[in-house]
Amino acid sequence: MKIILEKELFDIKTYITNGGYNAIKKALTMTPQSVIDEVKKSNLRGRGGAGFPTGLKWSFIPKDKSQKYVVCNSDESEPGTFKDREIIHKNPHSIIEGMIIAGYAIGATKGYIYIRGEFVREARIIEKTIYEAKESGYLGKNILNSGFDFDITVVRGAGAYICGEETALLESIEGKQGKPRIKPPFPATKGLFSSPTVINNVETLAAVPYIMIMGGEKYSRIGKEKSSGTKLFSVSGPVNKPGVYEIELGLSFKDFLENYLMGMKDGVKLKAVIVGGSSVPVITADEAMKVNLDYESLSQAGTMLGSGGMIIIGDNQCMVEALYILARFYHHESCGQCTPCREGTGWIYKLLSEILSGKCKEKDIDLLYEIAENMMGRTICPLADALSMPVMSFVKKFRNEFDKHIEGSCEICQR
Amino acid sequence: MPKINVDGKDLIANDGESILNVCERNGIYIPRYCYHPSLSVAGNCRMCLVEIEKMPKLQTACSTIASEGMVVKTDSEKVRKARKDVLEFLLINHPLDCSICDQVGECFLQDYYFTYGLRKSRFKLENKNQKQKRREVGKYLVLDNERCILCTRCVRFSNEVTKTDELFVNSRGDRAFIDISPEKGVTNKYSLNIADICPVGAFTSKDFRFKQRVYMLQTTKSICTLCATGCKINIWHNNNTIYRITPEPNIYTNTWMCDDGRMNYKIVNSSERLTHSMINGTEYNKRQTVKQVFNKLSKAMDDKLRIAVVLSNYLSIEDNISLIYLAKNVLKTPYIFSIESNQQKIEDGILINSDKSPNSNGIKLLVKKYGIKDISEYAEYDIVIGFYEDIKNLRISLVKTILFSYKKSSYPCLIALKTYFETDGSFINWQGYLRKTAKVVNSPENTFDLHHFLMEVSHLFAVYPDFNFKGIIKDLKYKEEGQ
Amino acid sequence: MLGEKIKKNYKSIVEKFEKKESALISLLYEIQKENNYISDGDISELSSLIDMPYSRIKSVLTFYTMFNQKKTGKYHIQVCRNLSCSMSGARNIINFIKENLKINEHEVSDDGLFSYTTVECLGACGSSPVVMINDTYYENMDEKKLRELIDKLRKE
């Protein structure tokens, strides 16, 4: 079933014809606390990658009358992830409506949408969407005569994956380098401009209007118990039908691959799957065929649902080269603040380029694994872990390919 | 006041205090680079990671606030491994500069490596990142970006203490480096504090560069005499030579010190230094000088000339007491004056005082005790005795002066003094604290302690001073640290 | 040197934001649009215009990769080099650019029209390989399409 991407709702007219902006109307008749409770009942979990329960996050905001903010994280830079872009193209008003409802629920009068710099076209779509909403009275002062004010400002990023991390994003909006903050304090107490702030992913906010209309309880019965609702998966790699899919959580990967992605293309065999963006541990083809696409099943299989950015890897791709490409990414994107990540990403990247070109020995593969272990859990933000987990899982599960590179006998790379 | 347990010991933390601070107060040292007690918390070096029960990941002690019931381990297996690993990460791109790096002997990398690291290098040298070395930054600093561990103490100092925003981090990842705002360079007057707080040899002092290994130096505590703030300092010296001055951080007067104060030691060997007393163009040794001055004063008294003595805010309490004694008991002249200083306050919001003399408050107390007139009542006199720095503000013909000085100048009668690096003297700073300078090096052979000189002159007049400085100073109303 | 447009418009850009600091990235984009890249001189001028320390602006400029610190071609080609794009032939695209436009990364072609860099994931992996030229995405690229596109741009 599809919820957010059920129809293509490009402009406000089509959106309203299909029930748009009824959710905010409903929310405004409820108390802010009841709105939070409704979202809690839905068991909606953050769709950006961390999977934190959304209702719970909203409930951390203090109930006083101080200035508060809702921030929409539209930084979408996790390799393999391109689902938020789809929502911006096909159903942008759901994001805006979600933000307004969030603002009402936590008592915020201002919202920010932080959108990655490369999404120039998408930023224009968002600006147009905000304009339409404002013109129709859904944004601005005294929305629908409720006494509730809400306004949204778009802030563009400028090419930094790390700004997808909540506190780095706030730093960027505050006009600084995107360096994650030490937590605690958490954004719910001290966020944007030191005020209580809720930061949610595009997809999370887009789900909110639908939850309000159908009711949190009904939403919670879609999918699985601890993985309720639908999730957008953006799939790339040698499959017949890559693209964005909205599926009920709990669907088996086998079913997904065969009946949605229409199997592998051009005779390529499935070798490995990165299920939720490059930062999650990789799983082998065998493991993938046994999992369901939900938080628990994937966690039990030793990986994570993450962002839902699925990268399918076939037997025509060398795993060592794949890991090298990812290490190059994290090395490029590390903010450089803390020692283990700044130095560790560089070390791993350099070591991998030598392993790739056969300039290394067996013990260097063990060293590679150890460096990844030594980075993990010791940094301000999880970027170091985001490299450690691929490194450790690739080395553990595809050790033979690394060994081949030491010997200079990788058939795929021809070196 | 939460109660926590650290390494088996029960400790009481202050409200809002970090684990690192509680431990520090109780003698448990936690290694750190980016943490500095006078700067904001950055938490980026990861060296202070400690184990806290019920928390799955290690936490930085500098940024974690102690809470009731916390159980902390600062020396467990996990912690020791973390420190070893963080050190390894720090060292992979760190250049092997030790043999030419001034930081040796006070380098956090070296020191921690020996205590916590001792791991053989596993990183290939040819892969090391290269960055700019030997950058001249402002008047006093040299920056080596390769040695830098990006703890950002320097950036925080430039933003929070001097508020001059000259330093920043350029780029990201392992390409990041400390950079300087070009229009200004580092021109603030406290730049050398950055060399102090840099835990490695990235920021070093140009003045001290290559001069001496720090472990060859002794430190002697003293005070700065360039202004009324009177910062507490450490003078580093070896073999009768001063090599550098650093502040002695304390809660009463100063955490830092200004660059001018640090450079003040140069007067000792400066070409401007007055090494012999000069009277009418001729150099005299000590014995001759005493005789010359005695003759002049003796004749003046015979001729019933009017002699004035001017106390100096630049000289110690002991020196000024001797001047008062000379005036009252030897010359028997009523013409003794003091000069009121500028209003005392910190003029730049940090340390530099608007009063550029170190002892105005000391003289104020002497004025009260002995009933000394203010310089505004000065009229015309035949001979004026005083410190050279003061006299230039008086309308007086040069011929009539007998001046004390440690710098050469064109005045006809200059008595060569020891600087306060070569003798001890008591001063009272703008806050009212009484402190002493310390003798650190020997002075040129023919220079005087002013109070010794005046005593010798008195003896020639057959007047034998029998006061004791300690006794007189004890009765003055000054402040003591801790009051 | 800051151009006339930004000197006229900077106030209205700053006003769009609650706090002027949030306008910094937008202001830098404006300067880049007018001048092609952002120089030290531009930073100094901007620093005086909006009363923000040079160090603050420069630290932001050098942190974010979409700001050009030196001149680029009229058409700046950014080729994604991340995993999905690499698996579907990004390398061929890069080789094509190197051989046909005769430039290496960060270099500008002799006629000043083209320059290229490799970039990280552009967020359109399902239609890889993805190439971004100035502000526009070109998806499902291959050598043929790229050749046609470059010819078209040359004629403009």
Side-chain angles (χ1 to χ4, degrees):
Chain A
M1 74 174 294
K2 289 201 258 193
I3 299 178
I4 300 173
L5 296 183
E6 197 195 343
K7 301 214 176 88
E8 288 177 351
L9 311 168
F10 300 127
D11 57 45
I12 195 168
K13 231 172 115 211
T14 339
Y15 186 66
I16 290 179
T17 313
N18 283 278
Y21 288 111
N22 282 330
I24 183 63
K25 284 191 188 131
K26 183 174 179 194
L28 287 171
T29 65
M30 300 159 68
T31 63
Q33 184 59 50
S34 333
V35 175
I36 297 179
D37 290 336
E38 204 66 38
V39 175
K40 270 186 162 163
K41 269 190 241 163
S42 73
N43 285 335
L44 175 68
R45 291 169 72 158
R47 298 288 194 240
F52 192 85
T54 308
L56 187 59
K57 192 187 247 189
W58 291 10
S59 72
F60 288 150
I61 299 287
K63 308 270 187 278
D64 58 32
K65 292 251 178 288
S66 61
Q67 170 78 278
K68 306 202 185 76
Y69 296 98
V70 173
V71 174
C72 170
N73 186 343
S74 179
D75 194 59
E76 186 156 76
S77 306
E78 177 85 14
T81 316
F82 50 100
K83 60 175 180 76
D84 295 337
R85 185 170 178 243
E86 193 80 0
I87 301 176
I88 295 174
H89 287 168
K90 302 225 171 106
N91 192 357
H93 276 279
S94 63
I95 309 168
I96 306 300
E97 193 177 5
M99 276 183 85
I100 303 171
I101 296 171
Y104 178 71
I106 66 164
T109 55
K110 265 218 83 47
Y112 281 86
I113 299 184
Y114 185 86
I115 183 163
R116 66 176 290 179
E118 296 85 345
F119 280 178
V120 183
R121 174 173 160 226
E122 289 72 20
R124 288 197 200 115
I125 295 173
I126 292 284
E127 297 270 22
K128 166 175 165 277
T129 310
I130 293 174
Y131 176 78
E132 285 182 340
K134 204 159 179 171
E135 287 288 287
S136 301
Y138 296 108
L139 280 173
K141 298 231 178 290
N142 196 15
I143 296 171
L144 303 174
N145 275 315
S146 62
F148 170 59
D149 305 338
F150 195 73
D151 229 320
I152 301 178
T153 305
V154 174
V155 175
R156 284 179 66 202
Y161 162 73
I162 188 61
C163 288
E165 197 276 344
E166 289 189 344
T167 55
L169 194 157
L170 298 179
E171 289 286 291
S172 192
I173 296 181
E174 293 181 12
K176 300 176 238 168
Q177 296 189 325
K179 289 186 163 153
R181 300 175 182 166
I182 313 171
K183 296 178 279 277
F186 291 89
T189 22
K190 218 167 164 223
L192 187 60
F193 306 124
S194 298
S195 297
T197 307
V198 141
I199 301 135
N200 282 133
N201 173 259
V202 164
E203 191 186 342
T204 314
L205 288 165
V208 167
Y210 298 98
I211 290 172
M212 292 310 293
I213 293 294
M214 70 168 79
E217 220 257 303
K218 184 157 175 220
Y219 189 89
S220 73
R221 283 187 267 120
I222 303 169
K224 289 278 188 59
E225 192 197 329
K226 291 214 191 110
S227 302
S228 64
T230 57
K231 174 87 185 74
L232 268 61
F233 281 86
S234 53
V235 186
S236 57
V239 291
N240 281 311
K241 295 186 93 185
V244 179
Y245 293 90
E246 185 175 7
I247 57 166
E248 220 175 307
L249 281 167
L251 182 67
S252 78
F253 174 78
K254 185 165 183 291
D255 192 353
F256 186 53
L257 174 64
E258 286 166 7
N259 301 316
Y260 290 71
L261 308 176
M262 303 318 236
M264 305 294 291
K265 80 174 187 184
D266 298 340
V268 174
K269 264 178 58 190
L270 181 68
K271 180 158 74 170
V273 183
I274 297 176
V275 297
S278 60
S279 308
V280 307
V282 71
I283 53 177
T284 62
D286 288 340
E287 288 172 322
M289 286 311 200
K290 298 198 192 100
V291 297
N292 296 325
L293 296 172
D294 62 65
Y295 292 97
E296 275 60 49
S297 171
L298 289 172
S299 158
Q300 268 170 11
T303 182
M304 292 165 22
L305 187 77
S307 64
M310 188 182 286
I311 306 177
I312 306 284
I313 302 179
D315 60 354
N316 59 345
Q317 173 63 46
C318 166
M319 295 308 277
V320 181
E321 189 194 43
L323 186 62
Y324 164 79
I325 291 170
L326 294 182
R328 181 174 60 185
F329 169 74
Y330 291 104
H331 171 241
H332 187 254
E333 300 293 341
S334 166
C335 77
Q337 225 188 153
C338 51
T339 312
C341 175
R342 177 182 70 240
E343 307 294 344
T345 52
W347 196 356
I348 289 178
Y349 165 62
K350 286 174 183 163
L351 203 47
L352 271 167
S353 50
E354 293 189 334
I355 293 175
L356 198 58
S357 46
K359 289 204 211 114
C360 279
K361 299 201 176 57
E362 167 95 33
K363 62 178 171 70
D364 290 317
I365 304 175
D366 297 321
L367 177 61
L368 184 70
Y369 191 93
E370 211 195 311
I371 301 168
E373 265 187 324
N374 292 348
M375 276 203 306
M376 266 193 93
R378 291 178 177 161
T379 51
I380 296 176
C381 87
L383 192 142
D385 304 341
L387 175 56
S388 293
M389 291 198 283
V391 170
M392 289 162 71
S393 57
F394 272 63
V395 169
K396 237 201 316 213
K397 299 183 184 180
F398 296 96
R399 181 58 182 254
N400 58 317
E401 296 204 28
F402 288 83
D403 290 333
K404 285 218 183 98
H405 266 272
I406 301 288
E407 296 157 22
S409 61
C410 172
E411 319 90 41
I412 309 173
C413 294
Q414 313 252 300
R415 48 177 164 170
Chain B
M1 307 284 280
K3 196 158 48 167
I4 65 172
N5 184 290
V6 180
D7 297 337
K9 259 192 359 206
D10 278 328
L11 301 175
I12 307 212
N14 295 323
D15 287 327
E17 201 177 17
S18 69
I19 295 180
L20 188 142
N21 279 335
V22 188
C23 290
E24 189 102 325
R25 266 193 309 109
N26 288 278
I28 303 172
Y29 184 79
I30 297 182
R32 84 296 294 258
Y33 292 104
C34 63
Y35 171 77
H36 187 281
S38 309
L39 301 171
S40 63
V41 170
N44 61 45
C45 70
R46 314 312 281 178
M47 195 63 197
C48 70
L49 289 168
V50 291
E51 202 175 335
I52 303 182
E53 231 175 66
K54 294 201 203 108
M55 289 182 144
K57 296 203 272 198
L58 298 179
Q59 303 292 323
T60 43
C62 65
S63 65
T64 309
I65 308 295
S67 67
E68 183 70 34
M70 247 183 190
V71 179
V72 181
K73 297 202 197 94
T74 70
D75 198 31
S76 67
E77 190 72 52
K78 258 177 150 184
V79 171
R80 276 186 262 140
K81 172 104 196 340
R83 288 178 187 162
K84 228 179 167 153
D85 295 336
V86 169
L87 273 167
E88 181 171 35
F89 283 126
L90 279 172
L91 288 168
I92 60 173
N93 282 308
H94 193 76
L96 279 170
D97 279 359
C98 297
S99 45
I100 55 165
C101 177
D102 287 322
Q103 201 76 10
V104 167
E106 49 187 20
C107 172
F108 281 44
L109 272 177
Q110 276 189 342
D111 295 346
Y112 289 167
Y113 177 77
F114 280 105
T115 318
Y116 307 108
L118 286 175
R119 190 184 247 159
K120 271 182 86 171
S121 173
R122 306 190 278 184
F123 185 77
K124 293 197 185 145
L125 195 57
E126 59 263 26
N127 289 335
K128 199 183 92 48
N129 284 337
Q130 292 192 309
K131 295 180 182 165
Q132 276 182 287
K133 298 177 84 71
R134 293 188 298 277
R135 299 171 68 180
E136 283 209 359
V137 172
K139 211 164 148 199
Y140 295 114
L141 294 173
V142 181
L143 170 60
D144 186 315
N145 281 121
E146 272 189 6
R147 297 178 189 170
C148 173
I149 56 169
L150 287 162
C151 70
T152 66
R153 275 183 179 188
C154 54
V155 176
R156 282 175 281 144
F157 180 86
S158 149
N159 291 344
E160 296 163 21
V161 178
T162 57
K163 301 201 181 41
T164 42
D165 297 310
E166 296 129 322
L167 296 171
F168 62 98
V169 179
N170 184 317
S171 307
R172 68 184 194 210
D174 63 2
R175 287 85 58 209
F177 62 98
I178 301 293
D179 206 3
I180 317 139
S181 162
E183 324 162 304
K184 291 151 80 173
V186 176
T187 53
N188 70 68
K189 290 181 168 212
Y190 295 87
S191 62
L192 276 166
N193 291 294
I194 296 175
D196 285 350
I197 60 176
C198 179
V200 299
F203 271 107
T204 50
S205 158
K206 216 191 289 188
D207 180 60
F208 184 60
R209 192 172 172 78
F210 298 153
K211 290 214 174 118
Q212 186 94 163
R213 283 300 190 198
V214 303
Y215 47 77
M216 302 288 286
L217 298 172
Q218 285 180 278
T219 52
T220 301
K221 295 202 200 310
S222 182
I223 55 168
C224 177
T225 55
L226 264 195
C227 77
T229 303
C231 292
K232 288 175 82 166
I233 61 178
N234 277 309
I235 305 179
W236 300 66
H237 57 101
N238 182 31
N239 261 333
N240 204 38
T241 314
I242 297 177
Y243 285 93
R244 68 175 187 183
I245 299 181
T246 58
E248 169 71 11
N250 61 90
I251 54 173
Y252 305 101
T253 302
N254 63 302
T255 306
W256 318 104
M257 73 180 289
C258 74
D259 294 343
D260 285 341
R262 287 180 197 254
M263 293 299 126
N264 196 30
Y265 77 91
K266 289 192 184 287
I267 183 64
V268 168
N269 279 325
S270 147
S271 53
E272 282 183 28
R273 184 73 195 273
L274 193 63
T275 52
H276 289 77
S277 302
M278 291 279 284
I279 306 178
N280 293 324
T282 313
E283 284 185 351
Y284 291 99
N285 67 25
K286 280 166 99 160
R287 215 172 38 82
Q288 293 164 329
T289 308
V290 175
K291 200 91 211 295
Q292 287 279 324
V293 172
F294 164 74
N295 287 342
K296 191 165 183 177
L297 289 174
S298 178
K299 184 161 190 309
M301 285 171 78
D302 290 341
D303 295 346
K304 302 249 186 300
L305 295 183
R306 287 150 39 106
I307 307 175
V309 172
V310 182
L311 302 183
S312 177
N313 297 329
Y314 293 94
L315 298 174
S316 66
I317 296 182
E318 292 86 348
D319 290 341
N320 279 287
I321 290 174
S322 305
L323 277 173
I324 296 173
Y325 185 87
L326 179 86
K328 289 198 163 174
N329 299 61
V330 178
L331 304 173
K332 301 207 171 47
T333 168
Y335 309 119
I336 318 173
F337 300 98
S338 74
I339 305 178
E340 203 186 325
S341 65
N342 292 341
Q343 187 208 13
Q344 290 183 326
K345 63 176 169 54
I346 303 291
E347 66 182 14
D348 63 355
I350 309 173
L351 282 172
I352 298 177
N353 209 298
S354 48
D355 176 3
K356 306 296 179 201
S357 58
N359 207 8
S360 305
N361 282 348
I363 305 320
K364 258 202 201 111
L365 291 175
L366 291 179
V367 160
K368 228 182 180 174
K369 181 178 167 81
Y370 294 101
I372 310 283
K373 295 198 271 276
D374 182 73
I375 198 72
S376 49
E377 299 181 48
Y378 179 92
E380 273 294 314
Y381 301 100
D382 303 300
I383 295 192
V384 181
I385 305 173
F387 185 65
Y388 84 103
E389 185 71 39
D390 296 310
I391 301 307
K392 58 186 183 212
N393 297 324
L394 297 176
R395 284 166 287 102
I396 180 167
S397 143
L398 297 185
V399 243
K400 296 184 178 179
T401 57
I402 298 177
L403 299 180
F404 312 112
S405 175
Y406 24 77
K407 280 198 201 158
K408 295 192 185 126
S409 74
S410 51
Y411 293 103
C413 181
L414 287 176
I415 314 301
L417 286 188
K418 297 185 184 181
T419 66
Y420 289 104
F421 292 102
E422 298 154 332
T423 184
D424 52 69
S426 303
F427 294 81
I428 300 183
N429 82 340
W430 76 297
Q431 298 164 307
Y433 290 114
L434 172 74
R435 296 185 180 125
K436 284 185 88 153
T437 61
K439 174 184 169 170
V440 165
V441 290
N442 294 326
S443 62
E445 206 186 319
N446 287 295
T447 53
F448 290 101
D449 275 309
L450 180 56
H451 51 271
H452 276 160
F453 170 76
L454 294 175
M455 189 175 62
E456 309 255 303
V457 170
S458 304
H459 287 179
L460 290 187
F461 276 100
V463 178
Y464 299 95
D466 66 347
F467 55 78
N468 110 17
F469 291 124
K470 261 203 180 131
I472 299 178
I473 292 173
K474 204 160 50 103
D475 287 336
L476 297 173
K477 282 189 96 153
Y478 56 83
K479 256 168 97 170
E480 290 224 27
E481 286 181 9
Q483 277 178 333
Chain C
M1 273 239 341
L2 290 185
E4 285 313 307
K5 262 205 205 149
I6 178 83
K7 284 205 272 221
K8 222 174 18 165
N9 295 336
Y10 80 92
K11 276 209 188 115
S12 61
I13 295 175
V14 171
E15 270 160 19
K16 282 203 212 135
F17 298 91
E18 210 180 340
K19 306 244 164 85
K20 81 168 175 210
E21 284 75 26
S22 305
L24 184 55
I25 289 181
S26 289
L27 290 167
L28 289 171
Y29 276 134
E30 280 301 302
I31 299 176
Q32 185 160 286
K33 205 156 64 171
E34 225 183 328
N35 289 359
N36 173 272
Y37 73 106
I38 303 168
S39 69
D40 263 2
D42 294 330
I43 301 177
S44 300
E45 280 186 69
L46 183 63
S47 166
S48 316
L49 272 185
I50 60 173
D51 190 27
M52 196 183 279
Y54 174 102
S55 54
R56 174 77 170 257
I57 303 177
K58 184 90 190 257
S59 70
V60 163
L61 176 77
T62 55
F63 184 85
Y64 296 97
T65 56
M66 284 185 68
F67 296 128
N68 302 326
Q69 292 176 59
K70 50 181 215 200
K71 208 157 160 57
T72 65
K74 184 170 175 213
Y75 301 107
H76 187 51
I77 309 171
Q78 296 147 85
V79 186
C80 173
R81 65 182 188 186
N82 211 299
L83 189 52
S84 305
C85 289
S86 288
M87 290 199 292
S88 47
R91 200 175 296 129
N92 296 334
I93 303 222
I94 295 170
N95 288 336
F96 177 86
I97 295 175
K98 279 168 98 154
E99 282 161 21
N100 285 278
L101 298 176
K102 307 244 189 296
I103 46 177
N104 288 319
E105 248 193 282
H106 306 295
E107 286 175 5
V108 183
S109 60
D110 288 334
D111 54 8
L113 283 179
F114 299 103
S115 55
Y116 94 96
T117 60
T118 51
V119 293
E120 296 295 348
C121 183
L122 287 169
C125 324
S127 31
S128 56
V130 180
V131 166
M132 192 176 170
I133 302 187
N134 292 352
D135 283 347
T136 313
Y137 273 38
Y138 295 93
E139 300 167 58
N140 294 307
M141 285 305 274
D142 54 40
E143 291 170 64
K144 179 161 170 282
K145 285 194 193 142
L146 189 56
R147 186 191 301 274
E148 286 167 7
L149 179 59
I150 288 176
D151 285 342
K152 181 166 146 263
L153 292 172
R154 268 225 176 84
K155 295 201 182 90
E156 279 178 16

